[in-house]
Amino acid sequence: MTKVSEIFKEINSKNIVNKNMKPSEFVSKAYSYYLKTYGSNNSLNGSVFEEIVIRVLLNNEIKPVYAQCKMSFVPNVIFDIVLYNEKMPISLSLKTSIRERWKQADLEAVALKYIYRNAKCFLASNSTNEIAVRKREENSYLGLDSFVDINSSEFDELVEYLKTMDYEENKSIPVFTSFKEYK
């Protein structure tokens, strides 16, 4: 069992979160518990954050979820999360802190949209202030469709939007060259 799995098992066992919570509340409570209990750990923060978001997606019947995946026709990019639909794949770039990392997420979104013109690309973060700064410059991005504050109703709305889509497993051409799949 990995450290991230152990942390999430503890979060579940202490009933910090439950499936009936709003997505933003689920993420906020789980991540706050993690930080309070384990402190900030740069080697774990992103992985724990990603695992929490994956749990939110699965709790809302959004699956399959492809995490840390490489796609065949999009070289040199490892996507945090992809929800695959042949006509419109959706990527979620997850950042605990944006700073300059939004630039990488934007380039990854451009690469994805070069192959999948209808792809949707979102950057989701719990850095409310940094999200606000990026939103003020929203027309300055080439690939990202939106910045989402994961601690607000914006994330709840994104999850509701994601629930309206049909996702599929890759069948004919191996779209993903490496990934962790959650069902």
Side-chain angles (χ1 to χ4, degrees):
M1 183 178 285
T2 67
K3 183 69 174 173
V4 173
S5 298
E6 288 175 25
I7 290 168
F8 205 83
K9 185 176 179 183
E10 180 180 332
I11 289 170
N12 275 337
S13 70
K14 295 192 179 229
N15 295 318
I16 306 301
V17 293
N18 65 63
K19 289 182 177 186
N20 298 323
M21 291 178 162
K22 288 183 183 179
S24 58
E25 182 183 14
F26 187 101
V27 173
S28 181
K29 286 191 177 203
Y31 197 69
S32 292
Y33 175 82
Y34 157 71
L35 289 175
K36 187 173 87 178
T37 306
Y38 295 92
S40 183
N41 177 334
N42 289 339
S43 65
L44 274 180
N45 292 351
S47 297
V48 170
F49 188 62
E50 184 175 288
E51 184 69 22
I52 292 167
V53 173
I54 289 167
R55 300 300 172 126
V56 166
L57 297 174
L58 295 175
N59 287 348
N60 283 276
E61 299 299 320
I62 299 167
K63 54 188 172 183
V65 175
Y66 294 96
Q68 293 301 306
C69 65
K70 296 178 183 177
M71 296 179 73
S72 295
F73 307 110
V74 188
N76 305 317
V77 176
I78 300 174
F79 294 95
D80 293 336
I81 291 178
V82 174
L83 303 169
Y84 185 69
N85 172 306
E86 188 175 341
K87 293 184 180 13
M88 190 179 80
I90 296 174
S91 75
L92 300 176
S93 182
L94 305 173
K95 307 292 181 210
T96 56
S97 173
I98 297 175
R99 289 182 293 226
E100 297 298 310
R101 293 185 189 101
W102 65 266
K103 293 175 184 176
Q104 175 190 352
D106 196 38
L107 287 173
E108 291 170 354
V110 168
L112 182 62
K113 288 182 175 187
Y114 186 76
I115 302 301
Y116 298 95
R117 300 272 184 229
N118 296 323
K120 295 290 181 193
C121 302
F122 302 94
L123 186 149
S125 176
N126 60 357
S127 295
T128 301
N129 293 337
E130 293 175 30
I131 289 285
V133 169
R134 297 280 60 93
K135 283 185 171 194
R136 284 196 290 271
E137 301 172 3
E138 196 122 36
N139 292 329
S140 302
Y141 311 109
L142 299 173
L144 289 169
D145 291 290
S146 185
F147 288 84
V148 177
D149 181 354
I150 213 155
N151 293 313
S152 76
S153 62
E154 291 174 4
F155 184 58
D156 303 332
E157 292 164 12
L158 176 61
V159 170
E160 286 302 313
Y161 167 72
L162 296 175
K163 286 167 62 173
T164 67
M165 308 297 290
D166 290 321
Y167 305 105
E168 55 199 68
E169 292 183 35
N170 174 41
K171 291 183 177 92
S172 56
I173 299 172
V175 173
F176 302 114
T177 57
S178 71
F179 56 86
K180 294 184 229 170
E181 182 177 9
Y182 296 81
K183 290 185 180 182

